[in-house]
Amino acid sequence: MIALIIVVNNTRPSFYGNQFASVLRNKFSLRQNAILGADSPLQLVTEEGMMWVYIRDYFVPNIVEDKYTSGDAKASANEAGTILMNLRRIGAIRIRQLRARAGTCHLRHKFTASVDYCVAPFTKTDQSKAAFGPGDRFQYSPPAGEQSFFIQQRFYPGGGFIQLLNTTNREGAIAHINSLMADQFVDAQTRLIDIRFSFINPYVDNVAVGTIAFEFLAGGGVRPHSNFHLVSLSGFPAGRDYQVKIFFEALLYSFVVYMAIVQIVLLFRQRMEYFSHGWNWLDLTLITLFILLFAFRMQSVKVLEDFEFEVSDDKYVDFSKVEFIRVSERRTLAFAIFLSFFKVFEFLQSNPKLSQLVSTLEEAAPQMSTFLVVILIVLFAFAFSAQLLFGEMIAEFSNFSQTLAKLVRMALGDTDYNELIYVDYAVGSLFFFVLVFFLVLFLLQMFLAIIMGANERVLDEVGEKQWAGADPGALTMAWILAKNFVRKIFGYQPIRIMTEAEKEALVKSADRNRDGFIDAAELERFVQQSPSKTPDLLGVEQVEDLYKRYDLSSPNAFNLAEQRTFFSVLDERRQHIVLLSKLLGLKEALGAGAAAPARGNDDDESSNE
């Protein structure tokens, strides 16, 4: 776990790396700018005209800074390729288009006279690669090792109609955009425009790869998208710091190999029973994730060793493959460390107090599985209704998966009531209040009641096991040993602990006739001969704990009902201690004090039994 944490700490972006990607995101995606007379961020670009205004009037002037704030021209090409004082652009800016073939969807006969053709959503099979524009200016370029691009629910392949933006000066770049607009680079067949660029920050030794994309939807309009990923260009370079990183990575993978060997041995021993334990499934998942992580790590090292590029303003540098590997590596590592911390609960199960979370989930699992069916029925009912009522006007209700996510958020308080009643005033308000009643006031409260009830039962069980002398587990035993060491140093009486061998020897010494049971006579004889060892035999610190625990009416005597309760909570190690006759005489034998107070008729009847 320590090795994994160190590897994660060295893999995650640093503070300066995060700041590097954040300033680019704020500059090109979040900051508002004037688009068609309104101050809007990138996310509010919803049509072709707004896209061109954003690219020409905002994106290009901010990515090509050929002048200082004083108005003086930058002296060198390196200075002209630098923004935000010290972020150097790597390569040219690439603008790519993907197109769909015309006539890829059915057109009703009544509209054939007024509609020329119909274009369906983008698919790889319906992709258009035909040249277009004045004099077939725009030619298709096949993919050259570029990774597929994913936006929400759709993959876009590499290649396409490529334009490299002239970045020698700002006026030239703006003129290039104007020529694309004049030659109708975007038309009805356009389904994706994506802009790729990258910057390096020498201080953090990372490259930020930026993507700004515009999806042209078959239903009309434009949907913008942006992401900025940090890419480390270091594989296993020299240096003391990197040697430490390599050491801990090797240590981590050594543990993974050991864990895999242990699981293989368990699988051969337990056969099919192996798959009936949830912790074994967790181990298999972790091993699989670490194998994937190792594969991504080795692949990234190989790719970086072969990756050569030239920093030039007229050549595009494709970081998509390195970006994909690095992002996949971080995502895999994120899942691995998340599940690894849950693995800690497996080791904490030996201690009743520390295993309460897992025990509560196990206790609540039967009820939760039944209750989950009820929740799904109600959620599905609301989801289908919400799609029909609000799907045309509210994007979050436009498909089933987004609708389910929105309903869960509404149940947790993230809702816009005004948005619902704006779409449908009467039905929107009714839908909201019915949803709140069923999901929040009813089902959510039932869910909490199941969890709290299970937790209460687990806490009671923990208390019973602790009193009955159950094995405290390895972690608790280690903690007791550490406390005893400190108590001895300061002259305090150490806490009494016994090994399993000592416990078995104690039981055998009390069982005089070697029949495997301890009757009342043997117990009384043992108490008389070894009174100091009696609490160890019964699993309590003091004899009075027996009475305090079970005899509420009379704290100095047992009745038969309390005797049965006592035996019901004894663990496996102590269940062979059987009291066969009157435990009411135990008080005098142990020297607990004066005679017990007078008991009621019910107690007399139970003692006569």
Side-chain angles (χ1 to χ4, degrees):
M1 180 61 70
I2 294 174
L4 178 59
I5 291 174
I6 293 175
V7 171
V8 170
N9 187 64
N10 290 323
T11 305
R12 66 182 175 84
S14 64
F15 169 77
Y16 294 105
N18 175 269
Q19 190 179 33
F20 176 27
S22 296
V23 293
L24 290 175
R25 181 169 178 261
N26 292 332
K27 185 177 183 65
F28 296 109
S29 178
L30 300 182
R31 188 181 300 173
Q32 293 189 350
N33 52 91
I35 299 178
L36 300 183
D39 290 338
S40 304
L42 174 65
Q43 283 74 11
L44 295 184
V45 173
T46 57
E47 57 185 62
E48 178 198 354
M50 297 177 70
M51 179 197 74
W52 284 122
V53 171
Y54 168 82
I55 296 175
R56 183 190 62 192
D57 298 344
Y58 186 76
F59 175 77
V60 170
N62 280 276
I63 204 169
V64 183
E65 294 183 355
D66 57 352
K67 295 181 179 180
Y68 295 107
T69 54
S70 62
D72 298 332
K74 292 184 176 180
S76 65
N78 284 339
E79 291 180 350
T82 303
I83 67 171
L84 299 173
M85 303 304 291
N86 60 352
L87 305 185
R88 177 63 170 93
R89 188 175 61 252
I90 301 178
I93 300 169
R94 189 205 67 179
I95 301 177
R96 179 181 69 135
Q97 178 184 172
L98 292 179
R99 299 166 60 82
R101 291 188 292 107
T104 50
C105 58
H106 176 69
L107 189 63
R108 290 183 177 274
H109 178 70
K110 293 183 179 180
F111 300 108
T112 54
S114 56
V115 179
D116 294 331
Y117 55 84
C118 176
V119 183
F122 180 86
T123 60
K124 194 172 181 179
T125 55
D126 292 332
Q127 180 181 0
S128 174
K129 300 180 182 179
F132 69 101
D136 289 340
R137 172 189 175 185
F138 307 116
Q139 300 286 332
Y140 177 81
S141 300
E146 183 179 1
Q147 295 293 318
S148 298
F149 183 56
F150 177 75
I151 300 180
Q152 290 190 0
Q153 299 178 355
R154 193 177 301 278
F155 277 97
Y156 292 96
F161 298 87
I162 308 296
Q163 292 289 304
L164 297 183
L165 191 61
N166 185 347
T167 57
T168 55
N169 58 74
R170 183 179 297 178
E171 287 73 16
I174 293 176
H176 194 163
I177 297 299
N178 286 330
S179 71
L180 294 178
M181 296 171 61
D183 292 342
Q184 295 185 347
F185 184 63
V186 174
D187 58 18
Q189 292 179 243
T190 302
R191 285 296 172 260
L192 177 72
I193 295 290
D194 75 85
I195 306 172
R196 296 269 295 181
F197 54 94
S198 54
F199 285 87
I200 185 171
N201 188 326
Y203 179 75
V204 298
D205 193 26
N206 278 329
V207 173
V209 181
T211 302
I212 295 177
F214 303 90
E215 279 189 291
F216 286 75
L217 308 175
V222 174
R223 180 167 57 196
H225 172 81
S226 66
N227 63 48
F228 298 87
H229 291 142
L230 284 183
V231 175
S232 173
L233 298 182
S234 59
F236 286 133
R240 185 171 182 179
D241 292 341
Y242 289 102
Q243 291 175 357
V244 174
K245 296 178 183 179
I246 294 172
F247 169 77
F248 280 104
E249 280 199 44
L251 182 62
L252 172 63
Y253 293 125
S254 300
F255 283 128
V256 173
V257 171
Y258 170 76
M259 197 162 103
I261 294 174
V262 171
Q263 296 306 310
I264 293 173
V265 172
L266 285 177
L267 179 60
F268 277 100
R269 287 181 177 178
Q270 300 177 359
R271 303 290 180 178
M272 296 306 297
E273 185 184 354
Y274 174 87
F275 298 101
S276 63
H277 301 287
W279 293 116
N280 292 338
W281 283 102
L282 177 61
D283 293 334
L284 290 176
T285 305
L286 279 173
I287 292 172
T288 303
L289 288 175
F290 281 119
I291 291 174
L292 285 175
L293 179 63
F294 180 77
F296 284 129
R297 188 74 174 108
M298 292 299 101
Q299 188 180 11
S300 67
V301 172
K302 183 180 183 305
V303 169
L304 289 173
E305 287 179 352
D306 301 335
F307 189 52
E308 297 291 340
F309 62 91
E310 178 184 352
V311 179
S312 173
D313 288 332
D314 57 357
K315 295 182 180 179
Y316 172 68
V317 180
D318 184 14
F319 286 98
S320 63
K321 192 170 184 179
V322 182
E323 178 189 12
F324 171 78
I325 295 173
R326 288 298 195 186
V327 172
S328 301
E329 180 184 343
R330 285 200 296 268
R331 288 173 177 172
T332 305
L333 185 56
F335 282 111
I337 193 170
F338 177 78
L339 295 178
S340 296
F341 273 92
F342 277 90
K343 177 75 175 172
V344 176
F345 289 108
E346 181 181 4
F347 299 104
L348 297 181
Q349 274 194 311
S350 60
N351 185 285
K353 288 187 176 180
L354 297 178
S355 64
Q356 291 180 18
L357 174 62
V358 177
S359 300
T360 299
L361 294 177
E362 291 177 349
E363 179 70 24
Q367 290 179 287
M368 288 299 300
S369 59
T370 305
F371 186 66
L372 180 62
V373 176
V374 178
I375 292 180
L376 290 177
I377 292 174
V378 176
L379 272 178
F380 280 24
F382 279 106
F384 285 116
S385 300
Q387 273 191 279
L388 293 173
L389 292 172
F390 313 113
E392 294 180 350
M393 296 291 292
I394 303 177
E396 293 170 316
F397 294 105
S398 59
N399 60 59
F400 188 73
S401 59
Q402 286 185 329
T403 303
L404 282 178
K406 179 63 175 178
L407 291 177
V408 174
R409 288 163 49 196
M410 290 177 67
L412 299 176
D414 181 14
T415 182
D416 189 349
Y417 176 73
N418 293 326
E419 187 178 35
L420 297 179
I421 63 174
Y422 176 78
V423 176
D424 193 325
Y425 182 82
V427 180
S429 59
L430 177 64
F431 178 87
F432 173 78
F433 288 112
V434 174
L435 176 72
V436 169
F437 173 78
F438 274 99
L439 289 186
V440 180
L441 300 181
F442 186 62
L443 293 180
L444 185 58
Q445 300 303 320
M446 286 184 62
F447 174 81
L448 294 177
I450 292 174
I451 295 296
M452 293 176 65
N455 186 58
E456 185 177 353
R457 292 191 295 272
V458 168
L459 290 177
D460 291 341
E461 184 179 353
V462 168
E464 300 288 0
K465 286 183 178 180
Q466 184 182 12
W467 181 86
D471 190 356
L475 291 176
T476 304
M477 191 67 72
W479 174 244
I480 293 175
L481 291 174
K483 287 173 65 176
N484 283 347
F485 177 76
V486 175
R487 292 172 73 91
K488 287 181 180 179
I489 293 176
F490 290 96
Y492 292 101
Q493 184 71 21
I495 301 173
R496 183 173 63 252
I497 56 175
M498 296 181 64
T499 65
E500 288 296 329
E502 291 174 337
K503 295 171 185 176
E504 294 296 333
L506 192 63
V507 172
K508 288 181 180 179
S509 64
D511 185 16
R512 293 300 185 91
N513 57 9
R514 298 294 187 268
D515 62 350
F517 297 94
I518 301 176
D519 57 25
E522 289 175 332
L523 180 60
E524 291 179 4
R525 189 181 301 111
F526 181 84
V527 170
Q528 293 173 358
Q529 294 177 355
S530 306
S532 61
K533 296 182 179 180
T534 302
D536 292 330
L537 182 66
L538 298 178
V540 294
E541 290 292 333
Q542 298 178 354
V543 176
E544 286 79 3
D545 290 342
L546 291 170
Y547 305 115
K548 292 178 181 178
R549 177 70 178 177
Y550 289 104
D551 197 353
L552 301 179
S553 59
S554 178
N556 293 319
F558 269 141
N559 59 30
L560 292 180
E562 292 160 348
Q563 172 193 346
R564 297 190 189 97
T565 307
F566 170 70
F567 282 115
S568 67
V569 299
L570 286 179
D571 65 336
E572 228 178 84
R573 189 184 67 253
R574 302 192 187 278
Q575 285 180 3
H576 61 285
I577 303 176
V578 180
L579 302 180
L580 299 176
S581 60
K582 300 177 181 179
L583 287 182
L584 296 176
L586 184 61
K587 171 181 66 67
E588 291 81 6
L590 295 177
R599 305 176 65 87
N601 294 333
D602 294 340
D603 292 336
D604 292 338
E605 292 176 2
S606 62
S607 59
N608 289 334
E609 292 176 8

